[in-house]
Amino acid sequence: MRTSWADLAANSAADNANNSVPPSKPAYVPPHLRNRPPLSAESHAPPPPAYSGPSSASASVAGAVSGRWSSPRNEYRTQPVSSGHTSGWGNNSGGWDRGRDREVNPFAEQDDSEPTFTEQENTGINFDAYEDIPVETTGENVPSPVNTFAEIDLGEALNENIRRCKYVRPTPVQRNAIPISLAGRDLMACAQTGSGKTAAFCFPIISGIMRGQPVQRQPRGVRTVFPLALVLSPTRELSMQIHEEARKFSYQTGVRVVVAYGGAPINQQLRDLERGVDILVATPGRLVDLLERARVSLQMIRYLALDEADRMLDMGFEPQIRKIVQQMDMPPPGVRQTMLFSATFPREIQRLASDFLSNYIFLAVGRVGSSTDLIDQRVEYVQESDKRSHLMDLLHAQRANGVQGKQALTLVFVETKKGADALEHWLCLNGFPATTIHGDRTQQEREFALKSFKSGNTPILVATDVAARGLDIPHVAHVVNFDLPNDIDDYVHRIGRTGRAGKKGLATAFFNDNNVNLARALADLMQEANQEVPAWILGYAARSSFCGGRNRRSGGGSRFGSRDFRREGSFSRGGSSDYHNAGNNGGGYGSCGGYAGGYGSSGVTSAWD
DNA sequence: AAAAAAG
C-alpha cells in the first residue's frame, strides 16, 4: 500500500520543524509563533475593503462589534489596523473559552452511535471507485488540485481531526475544491453527495477562521451574535448532519459550530448561539427568524456555503435565500467568499446562482462511469394498483436472500405525505417493520424515525423528498422509487442515498403511465450510467416530447458532471458545437442533446409553460 | 400538484 496520510503528515510536520520545506509551499506556522493573520493578497483572508455595510444596520451593529474589537470592519482591511488583533489569535486562551472548556468530544459518540454494526464503516469511502473520475474546472486561474491532505496547509488541529475521521486521502471533490477555496475563490461545485462534499467546504472555512480570527469575546448583555461563516441547507435533518460533521472537523480548533433549524425549541439554539458561534449551520426559515429577532447578524460573514444549492435556489426557496443573502446585512459577493455545492445544477439555477458569486470557478466532478456503476438501477412497469403487492414481492425476496435487516436498509420514496403514512401503516400491518419521515410529522418524530432507520431497528423507511437529498445513511442497500419524481434531478438525488462512499447499491423504480414525462430523461440517465435500459421504456421515451422532468433545464442533459452555463451561449440557438465538444470532461450526456443547443428556441421554451 | 421551510 501507499504511504498513509498519517505518515505523510508526520513527515510534513518534521519537515516544517526542520525548516526544510520547499519554498513553493507555504510553511506551516504553529499557533504560538503566529502574530498576525496572513492578510496578503494570495492569502485565505477575505478580500479587502470596498464594502461599507448597509447603513441602516451598521450603526447599532458597529456599536455592538466595537465592544469586541477595536474597529468593527477591520476584517475587510488589507492591513491589520489594530494591535488588538495580534494578540492571541490562534491562541488557546482566546476565542470561545467558556464553550471549549465543555466541548464534547464528537468522536466519542462515533463508537456507540451505531453499536449494532460490526462492520467498520466510518473509514467508508472506497477510493478505488473514485479513480479516474472526469473532472472539469472552468473559470480564471484555477488553482491546481492536490493529491494528499499533507500538501495542504490546513493547520495542526484540523489535520488531527482529519486523522481522527480516518480520512486518508482527499476525495476528487476535495482534491479540487479545497485548493480553490483556500485561494479565496468563489466556487460552484457539482459533485455527488457522499463523496466528501461537506468536508470540502468545511475544511477551508475552519482553516480560514483559525487563521484570521481575532479574539472574539461576546460582551455580556449583547444578544446579537456575528458568525463568520454561514452554511445553509434545505432540510433540518441535513443541517443536523452537516453540524455533526463540522463539529468533528472543528474539534479543539477553537472554532465553534452551532446549528439552528425549525421544529425544535428555539431557546436551546439561542443559548448555543450566545455561547459563541463562528460557523452557523441553518435552515432558511429559522435563520430568517433569528435575523428578524436580531439575535444573529450576518455582517461579519466571510464564508457562505449553500449545500444542495440548486434546491436552495429553486422556486420554493429562492425568495428566502435572496432575503438572507441579499437583503439583510451580509457582505456582498467579492467581499465574502461563496461556495455552492450540489450533485445537480440545472443551468437556470446556475444563472440565478451567479448573482451570489464573484469571478467564480465552476467545478464538476463527473459521476459518469465508475461511481455511477455502483448503483444498479432497475425500472419496472408497475400499475398504480399493483405497487403495494409489487413492493411486497421485493421485500419478501430480499428477506429470503437475507438482504434485509440491520445491515441492509431499504428506503422507499413516495410522492405525498399522506401516501407515506398509508404505506408505512400497510407495511407494518404486513409484518415489515417500517417507519416514515415527511414534513407533516413533528421534528421529534422525524428525528426518531431517522434514528430508528439508521440503527436498523426499523429497516424500512418510507419517505417523501425530505429525505431525497444529502442525508448520509450508511447501509442503505436498496432505494425504491415507489412513486417516481417528476424531476430527473430528484431521481438522481434519491438514488444517491444508496451506493454511497464507494459501496454498491440497488435502486428500483416503479414506472407507469403517470411517469411518461420522465421516460426520456430516465432512459438517457440509465444509459449514460451503463445501466440496462428496458426496451419498453424507450417506447415511452419516444412518446414524450421533451427531455422530461426538469431535465431540459439541466444544460443539455449533463446531470452529473453538469456543465458551466457560462460556457454555453446562454441563449444560443441552433446547433451548439460547444455543447458537443464537451464530451471529454463531463462525460457526454448527449442523447437528449438535440434540445440542448436549441435551448431558448420556441420548442423548448414552450415546454416551460 | 407536491414537497420543503417559521410558529
Side-chain angles (χ1 to χ4, degrees), chain A residues 21 41 58-59 66 229 238 245 253 287 306 323 361 377 394 413 472 510 538 557 561 575:
Chain A
V21 183
S58 61
S66 61
L238 185 52
E245 275 200 82
T253 61
L287 177 60
L306 301 193
K323 173 164 188 175
I361 289 167
Q377 297 180 55
L394 290 180
F413 281 105
D472 192 30
F510 295 175
L538 296 173

Side-chain angles (χ1 to χ4, degrees), chain A residues 174-300:
Chain A
Q174 291 163 1
R175 285 205 287 263
N176 289 273
I178 293 175
I180 291 171
S181 31
L182 282 179
R185 298 293 299 277
D186 280 5
L187 174 66
M188 181 187 290
C190 289
Q192 177 191 16
T193 39
S195 63
K197 216 160 39 76
T198 311
F201 63 77
C202 282
F203 289 174
I205 290 176
I206 293 167
S207 164
I209 289 176
M210 288 175 73
R211 285 161 201 284
Q213 183 180 3
V215 175
Q216 296 190 20
R217 200 173 290 280
Q218 186 67 28
R220 306 209 182 268
V222 175
R223 315 265 281 179
T224 308
V225 295
F226 298 83
L228 303 175
L230 176 63
V231 179
L232 292 173
S233 97
T235 66
R236 298 163 181 174
E237 286 76 14
L238 185 52
S239 281
M240 296 171 62
Q241 177 182 302
I242 294 167
H243 173 243
E244 280 160 27
E245 275 200 82
R247 265 180 60 227
K248 290 179 186 170
F249 301 150
S250 59
Y251 180 55
Q252 290 184 340
T253 61
V255 174
R256 271 193 44 96
V257 190
V258 174
V259 68
Y261 53 83
I266 202 169
N267 284 332
Q268 181 59 46
Q269 294 173 5
L270 288 172
R271 276 196 296 275
D272 286 346
L273 287 168
E274 281 179 24
R275 288 174 56 196
V277 53
D278 297 302
I279 303 176
L280 177 58
V281 182
T283 49
R286 177 55 59 92
L287 177 60
V288 168
D289 191 3
L290 292 167
L291 292 168
E292 285 173 350
R293 295 176 189 223
R295 298 299 293 261
V296 171
S297 162
L298 301 177
Q299 194 171 14
M300 303 304 288

Side-chain angles (χ1 to χ4, degrees), chain A residues 243-455:
Chain A
H243 173 243
E244 280 160 27
E245 275 200 82
R247 265 180 60 227
K248 290 179 186 170
F249 301 150
S250 59
Y251 180 55
Q252 290 184 340
T253 61
V255 174
R256 271 193 44 96
V257 190
V258 174
V259 68
Y261 53 83
I266 202 169
N267 284 332
Q268 181 59 46
Q269 294 173 5
L270 288 172
R271 276 196 296 275
D272 286 346
L273 287 168
E274 281 179 24
R275 288 174 56 196
V277 53
D278 297 302
I279 303 176
L280 177 58
V281 182
T283 49
R286 177 55 59 92
L287 177 60
V288 168
D289 191 3
L290 292 167
L291 292 168
E292 285 173 350
R293 295 176 189 223
R295 298 299 293 261
V296 171
S297 162
L298 301 177
Q299 194 171 14
M300 303 304 288
I301 291 291
R302 297 180 203 164
Y303 304 93
L304 169 65
L306 301 193
D307 202 3
E308 308 298 340
D310 59 332
R311 167 62 85 231
M312 303 302 282
L313 294 171
D314 81 5
M315 287 199 316
F317 272 119
E318 197 211 350
Q320 265 180 316
I321 301 301
R322 279 199 190 278
K323 173 164 188 175
I324 292 165
V325 177
Q326 297 179 320
Q327 291 157 28
M328 304 302 288
D329 53 353
M330 186 172 330
V335 176
R336 63 163 198 262
Q337 190 180 335
T338 308
M339 295 173 271
L340 310 183
F341 283 78
S342 182
T344 53
F345 246 119
R347 69 187 277 158
E348 268 313 292
I349 304 286
Q350 286 190 38
R351 188 174 307 158
L352 281 178
S354 59
D355 287 357
F356 299 123
L357 297 161
S358 166
N359 186 27
Y360 65 95
I361 289 167
F362 179 92
L363 165 67
V365 179
R367 241 180 62 170
V368 183
S370 55
S371 70
T372 315
D373 288 344
L374 292 170
I375 305 175
D376 183 7
Q377 297 180 55
R378 299 179 191 172
V379 187
E380 294 168 357
Y381 192 92
V382 186
Q383 293 288 7
E384 213 58 44
S385 53
D386 296 337
K387 279 183 173 179
R388 282 183 176 183
S389 62
H390 199 81
L391 177 63
M392 183 67 69
D393 291 346
L394 290 180
L395 294 174
H396 275 300
Q398 278 182 202
R399 186 177 273 178
N401 293 332
V403 189
Q404 191 169 3
K406 295 180 186 277
Q407 306 239 5
L409 309 178
T410 302
L411 180 52
V412 182
F413 281 105
V414 296
E415 195 60 23
T416 66
K417 295 178 278 199
K418 277 178 70 175
D421 280 334
L423 185 58
E424 177 220 16
H425 183 66
W426 184 82
L427 284 169
C428 289
L429 279 182
N430 286 274
F432 286 96
T435 183
T436 182
I437 185 167
H438 59 69
D440 273 355
R441 305 201 80 193
T442 67
Q443 191 55 28
Q444 236 181 356
E445 289 171 325
R446 285 166 58 159
E447 286 170 27
F448 184 81
L450 195 55
K451 195 175 158 193
S452 176
F453 181 57
K454 278 186 172 180
S455 74

